[in-house]
Amino acid sequence: MLAMVSLALLKLPLAINHLLQSVDAPTLVGEQLDASPYMIDSAAINELNEILLGAAATCLTTACPAVFAWGILMQTLREVALIAKESRELRQSQRAADDFGTQEMLASEREESSATEDGSRRQPRRRTSTSSEASQPTIMAEEILDRIMDSALEEDPIVYLAKSAVNGSHVFDVIISLATDFCPVFCTDHRGEIGLRIRVTLLDLIRASLEWIDYLPEVVLAALAVLATPDGYWETEARTATSRAADPTTIFLEDELLMDKLFKTALTRFPYESLPFLKLCRTLASCRMLNDEGLPLVSQFLNDIGTFTHILPSDFNDYRLIHEDENANYVALTSTLDVFFDKDSKHSRKLSKLGQQQALPISGVGNFRIPEGTNGRVLSESKPVVAIWTYQYSGLKYLGRLLENFVANSDLVGHVSSEDVTRDVVVEIIGLFSVMLTASVKGGEASNGAHNGCDAAQKILEDASDGLNRNGDVISIIFDILEEDVQRQHSQSNVEGSLDLVVQCMHFVQALIPVMPGRVWPLMARSGLLEMDTRGGMLAALVASTEIVSGRYHLLLASIRIFDALVEDAVAQAIPRKGTVKAVARFTASKRLGTGIPDNVMRKVLLAFGRTMIDFYESSVNWKFVKLDEKLEVHTRIPVLFDKILLYCFSVDDNPDLSKKPAGVLAPLAEYVLEVFLSISMNELPVQPLLRVFADGITTPESTIAMKATELWTLQVDASLKFCTSLIQVGSLLQHPRSYLEQQLFKTTAILVRLYVTHETYKVPLVCLFEALVRSAVAYDTEPPSLLGHLGPKTAKDFLDVLANLDKPLDNETLNVCIWHLLSAVISNRQPWFATYLLTGTTPRDSLKTGGKGVGPRSSGSKSLLAVALDSVADVRALKPRKALALLEFIALAEDYWPWVMSDTDKHPKFLTGISDFVGALETIITSANQDKSLTGCQHLRMASYIAEILAMYLHHSQQMGDGSFARRLVSKISYLVNNAVKVPSYNASLHGNLRKNFGMKFPGCNLGSFKRTLLTRRQLGEDYFYDIKIAEKMLGFDPAWSGTRGQGFADEFARANLNLSVVESQADLLHSFKFLAIELISVLEPEKGLQKSLAKIVNDCLLSNSQSTLPENIFRQLMQVRADFAFVLLQRLTEVKSPEPEVKALLAITWNTVRTSGTSLELAMAGNDAGYHRSLLKVLFLALQFHLSTFSGPSSTFETSPSDSQTSNSAKSMASPETTRIVLEIITTLVVPSFRSLTTQLHDDSQRSSSSAADFALITAILQTALRVPGIDKFHTKIVSHLAENQTARYAATLFSWSDQLTVDGDPIYGELSILFFVELSSMPSIAEYLATEGLLTHLSNANIMNNFRHPKGCGPFDEPTRLYAVWSRGLLPLCLNLVNAIGAQMAAEIAAFLNQFPNQLARAADSLDSKPPSAPTDPTANYITLAMASEVHSLALISFILDNYRAAGASAGIVGSEIAELQWDRAQVKEDLEGWLQRRGALRERIVPMNEREGQWVRQKRSKAASDAENRLEEKVLEEMDSALVCLGGGSQ
C-alpha cells in the first residue's frame, strides 16, 4: 500500500509532461501560483529528494517504485535543464555574432557618410534586448538540478537513485509483485476500478522508464504482470467493457512508445524468442477494442508479420552479404529456405544425428518457404547463427503449424528440433487462441450488433488452420494435444506446472463452446477426461493425483467453467438444435448451432460432468487450498451451476416429463442432483459442504480494503443459500418425502440465524430459505418441525427481535418484502411458537409468566409485527405497491388462520378506516397502452383483493359480535369493487392469439407453454409474471425476431402478454375476494331498498359478463362459474327478503339470455366439463323466476304440491308482462321439455349414474313448477301441451319411472320420485292433465316394477328403507291423483279409485299410521312417531275419498254411473277418530312429531308463523294444519 501511495503521489505522467512543456514554454517555469505543481516548488523538490535519497540508501522495497520514479523525473529534469542551457547559450552566441556584424556595419557607414546624425536608431533596442537576455538568471530547472547534484554522494545522485531502485531493490520484481499480489485484492469485481488504477499507475512507471532503459527481460515481465488480469484467462472471459482511460491494455495499444519499445521489439525477435511476444499478444488480446472486422486489435499484427527471426541450420550457407559498406551483416538468400520439413525423409534422419532438422520440404502443406533473394541480417555470427529475414507471413497460420508440429504423430518438424517447440510455447499459443476467441465473442456482444463475435472468432480459427493438413484444423489439433497430455500426466503427476498445458487446452474448449459447440460435444464424448460407459475418468484422476496434493486447482476450475458453458449451450441452443427454426440467417453453420448432435450424447456428457462435479463437491471440504480464492470459487460455482440446472428444468413448463421440455437434455442430470441432495438417507457427504459453508460464513471478513475476498466469501454463502432454497422448493413441487438435507437445515437454524446478522448480503437469501423450509415442512403428514425449535429461548428471541427491525434504518424494499412473505408463511403453516410471537409481540413462555394477563415485554421494546403491519397499512397510500401487497397478505392470512387477531384489528383506530377509504378512492381501472399505468392498475386490483378479503373476515367477526355499524359505513365505499370485480377480465385475446400464432410459425415444434412459469417460485406482477422472459431470451435470443426492432420483437410481446395476464389474474382474485365480502355484507345487513338495487346490479353484471365472455381458456371458465355462484348467492338473499324492486324482476331476462347464449345444449353441457356451470345457471334461473309469482313466498329446496297449490296456482291477482310470459313459455318449451328428454336418454345410456343426474332432474322439475305458477302462463297451456306431445315427454317420464327400480343410486330409487314429481307438475295444468289421462298414465304407472313395493303386506312407510318409496307415494302418486281428478272431473273418479285400490296394504298402513292408541310394547321403535309426510298422506287420502264419495253420490247428475266408482279401501272412520284424538291431546301429539329431513329440522327451531296457532314451532304448526284439513274432508271439522 505504501509503495503504491508514494508512487501515485508523485503523479509521474503529469510531472514529466509539465517538465517537457516547460522546454517549449519557459515563461511558465517559475510561476508561483496557489494551484501550481510541486515540480516548480524548489523547497518541495529538495525535501522529496532528500527523503528518497535516504530510502535509496537503505534499498527499501516499499519505496523503490517511488525512488525509481523520482530518478526518472530527475533525469528528465536534467535533460530539460541541459536543453534549456544549450538553447540559451546558442541564443547568446547568435546575439554576439549579430552584435559584431552590426558594429562593423556602423563603422563603415561613418566612413562613407559625412553626416553626423545617428544612423543606428534601432541599436538601443537590440542592445537592450541583448543586455536583458544576458542578464536573465538561469531558469529554475537549472537551479533545482544544481542543488540536487550538490550531494555528498561520490557518484551522480540521479544515477544513484536509478541503480538503487533497479539493482538494489529490484524495482521490476516489486512491480510484478504489486501487479500480481496487490492489485487483485482491490478487484472487487471485473470492473474493479481501484485495481485498474493501480495497474495503470504501474504501467506509467514502466513507460517512463523506457525512455532510459532498453528492451530487457525484467521490463517485459513487469509489463506482462501489469497487463495481465489477476485471474488470467477467466477474468478476460468474464470482463465487462471498461473505459479506455482505465484499461491498461488499451493504453498500451494506443501508446507509440510502449508499442515500439516492447511489442514491436518482441515482434522482431519472433519466433527466435517466442514466449515474450506470445505473452504480450495474449495479454493485449484481452482488450475489447476491435478492428473493423470485429477482431481484437492484436490480430492485425498477427495476420501480417514482416520479419522472421530464427536460428539457421549449422550447415546452411545459402546466403550472401549485401551492403557491405554499412558493416551491418546484411545478407540475402541465394536459395529457398524451408521452415518445415518432412520428418521421415532420409536427409532429415541423417541430420537428426547431428541434432539438426533439415530435410526436403513437404509439398502442399503451406507457404512457409522463405524465397530466394529475401534480404535479412545476421544478428549473431557465433554458432548457432541467428538471422532475421524480411519475410511477410501470417502469424496465426504459423502458430497453427507449430501446434501441428507439437503433436506426437505429426509428419512435420520445424526449422529447429521438435523438442525446441516447448510445452511453454504451446501453452502460450493455445492460451492466445483462447483469449482471442473470447475477446471476439465478448466484443461482438458489447458492440450492439455492429460486429458478429462468432463470425470473427470463426475467422481466427480459419486463419490458424489455413496452413495445416487438409484433413485437420486447429481445433482437432488442440484436442489431440489435450488427449495426449492427459494420458502423459500419470508419469508427471504432482510436478509443478505439469497440468499447465491441459489447463490451457480446457480454456480453449471453454472459449470454443460459444463459437462452435458442435465440435465440442462429440470431442468431449470421445475424450478420456470424463467417465462414460466404464471408460475415461482422467479428470477425476488428475485432480486427485496432482491438484489435491499441490493445493492449486486450475484444472478443476477450468472443468467447472466448461461444465457451466456446456449447460448454458444445451439450454441456449435447445430450440435450433431441434430444427424448429425456419429462418436463422446469421447462424447457418451447423457446427455453430450444434445441430446433428444426438440428445443422448449430450445427456451422457452432462451427466458424466455432473457426477464428477458432485464427487468433487462432496470431498472438497477435506482438501488443502493454497489460495483461499480458489476454495471460495469452487464452493460458489458448483452450487450456482446446480441451482441453474434446477431452475432450467423445473421453473418453466408444467410438463411432468422432464425429457419433453426444451431443456430436456438436462433431465438426467437434474434428476441425479435431486437424487443426491434430496436423499432421505442419512448421507453426510452431499450435505456437509453446504453446512460447512454456512458455518464459515459466520466469519465473513469485514475489511473495506480487501473487497475481493469479501465479495468471494459472500458469493459462496449466497450461492449455497440459494441452492438449498431451490432444492427445498423443487422437493415441495415434486412432493418428495422430507430429505435429510431439510432435516439438517432445521437442526442448523442456530448457524443460519447468526448468518442473518453477519452480512447484509445474506439477509434476503436466508429469509427466502426460511420461507421455503416453513412452506415445505407443512406438506408432510407429521407435525412440522419448528423453525426456531433448535434455538435456545434467548437466541430465538434475539433473532426475532432482529427480524422485527425490518432492516431499519436502511429500509431495503426487497428485504422488507421477503421478510413479510416469510412471516405470512409462518402464520399460515403450523409454526405456532413463531406465529404467537409475531402476532402478540411475546413468546408463549413469556405469556405464561404473566399468567395470561397481558403481553410480556420484548427485549427491543417495540410493538408486535402485527401492530407494525396494521400501522403501516393504515396509511396504505404512502407504501410502495410491492411492500403494501406483502403487508396486506400478512394481515389477511393472520385473520384467516388466527381469528382472535380480529380483536386487534377492531381496536386499531385507523386501520379499517384507512383501507376502506383507500378502496373507496380508487378509480375504475381503464386498460391503458402505457405499461406503467397498467402495472399500477394491476397492483391496485391485487391490493383491493386483499382488502376485500380482510374486510369480509372482519364483517364475519362483527356479525358474531352483533355489530353492523361498520358494514353500514362500508356500503358507500365499495363502488370500485362493484364496478371492477365482476366485469369481464381485460384479457387481450388479440395479443395472445397473435403471439401464439406468430410464435408457432416462427418456432414450429415449440409452444408458449414451454416458457410458462411453474409454481416453483413466487410470481411478481409485471412484465415477467407468466412467461419467464430470461429463460425465453436465453433459448430464443439467437434469432433476430426475439429482439426485433422498435418494440416489435417477441421479447416485447412476451412482456406485454405477462403484464396483461397480471391484470387478468388480479381481476380474478378480486372477484373471489369481493364474492366473500358481498356475502358477508348481506348477511350482516338487512337489505334495504338501495342495497337491493346494488345487489341486483351485481347479479346483472355477473350474468352479463358471462353472456359476453367468449374466452376459451380454462381460467375464464372457472371465473364464469364463480360469477354464476356469486349471482346465485345474492339472488337467494333477495328472495329471502322478497324484494319487489323492478331491477330484481328484470334479472329474469338477462338470466335467460345467459342460459340461451351459453353456446351448447343442456345434454352436451351436462355430459361435458361445464356441467357445474350450467347447473349454477339453472339455479339462478329458478331463483329469477320466483320474483314473478303472484304470491311470492321464497323458493323451496323440496318441491311440495298440495291440493290447494293446484287450485291457486293460476288464480293470479296480477298478470305477468307479455315479455315475461314469452320468456317463461320459451323456458318451458326450449329448456324444460328438451332437457328432460335429453337427461332421460343420457341416464339410460350412462352406466355410471351419479347423484348429479338426479339433481339435474330435480332442478328441471323445480323450474317447471315455478314457471307454471307464473301468472298468465295458463293462456299458453295448449301450446305447452302440443310441445309436450311433439317431444313425447310423457312417454320419457313414464319410461324413467318404469326403470326407476333399476336406475338406482346406491340402492336409492331416486328417479322414481323425480319422474313422478315431474308428472305432478305437468298435471297441475288441466289441459296437460287431460293429455296424460288419455295416454293412460295411471295404467303405465301401475305396471311399473317399483309399484310392487306398495303391494307388500305392510306397505311402505316413512321409516322403511328405502325411505324414498314412501315419498313416491305421499308426494307423487297421491297428489297426481288429485290433479287428475281435479282437471278431468267425474270421468276420472272410477279410474282413480281402481288405481288406488290396487294397493290395499298401503291404504291400510296409511289408516293405521295415526293410531292414537298404540300397543303398550311396540315391536317397532318408530311406531309412536308422527311425521309431516304422514299427516300430508292422510290429508290427501281424505280429500280423494271425499271427492270420490261426492262423485259417487252425484251419479248421473255428474254424467257418470255412480256404482262404477269403487269404495276406497281405507278406514275413514278409524282415521277420523284418530285425528280427533290427536287434536284433542296436542301435548301428546307434540311429543310424537319428529323431523325427517334437514328442512323439517329447521322448522323445529322456528317459531310458528300464525299468532293464533297454539303450536310451539313451525313443524308442529304444519302437521296441525294437515290434520285439520283432513278432518274437515272426513266431515269431522270446520274449514
Side-chain angles (χ1 to χ4, degrees), residues 339-341 362-369 391 393-405 410-413 433 459-475 477:
V339 177
F340 294 96
F341 302 91
I362 294 179
S363 60
V365 294
N367 299 321
F368 288 103
R369 307 181 70 184
Y391 172 58
Y393 66 98
S394 170
L396 291 175
K397 184 189 297 185
Y398 178 75
L399 295 178
R401 291 290 295 275
L402 285 183
L403 291 181
E404 187 179 30
N405 188 31
S410 173
D411 294 331
L412 301 179
V413 295
F433 285 154
K459 186 178 187 305
I460 293 173
L461 296 173
E462 292 172 352
D463 291 344
S465 303
D466 277 351
L468 305 180
N469 189 299
R470 66 179 62 184
N471 296 324
D473 58 12
V474 70
I475 298 174
I477 288 175

Side-chain angles (χ1 to χ4, degrees), residues 693 736 941:
V693 168
H736 274 221
L941 283 169

Side-chain angles (χ1 to χ4, degrees), residues 569-606:
D569 178 72
V571 175
Q573 304 297 336
I575 305 301
R577 278 197 182 102
K578 296 180 183 296
T580 60
V581 186
K582 285 194 171 181
V584 191
R586 301 182 66 183
F587 297 88
T588 56
S590 62
K591 295 298 183 183
R592 176 156 328 151
L593 291 177
T595 54
I597 303 174
D599 285 351
N600 63 326
V601 172
M602 299 175 67
R603 289 190 177 98
K604 288 182 179 180
V605 171
L606 291 171

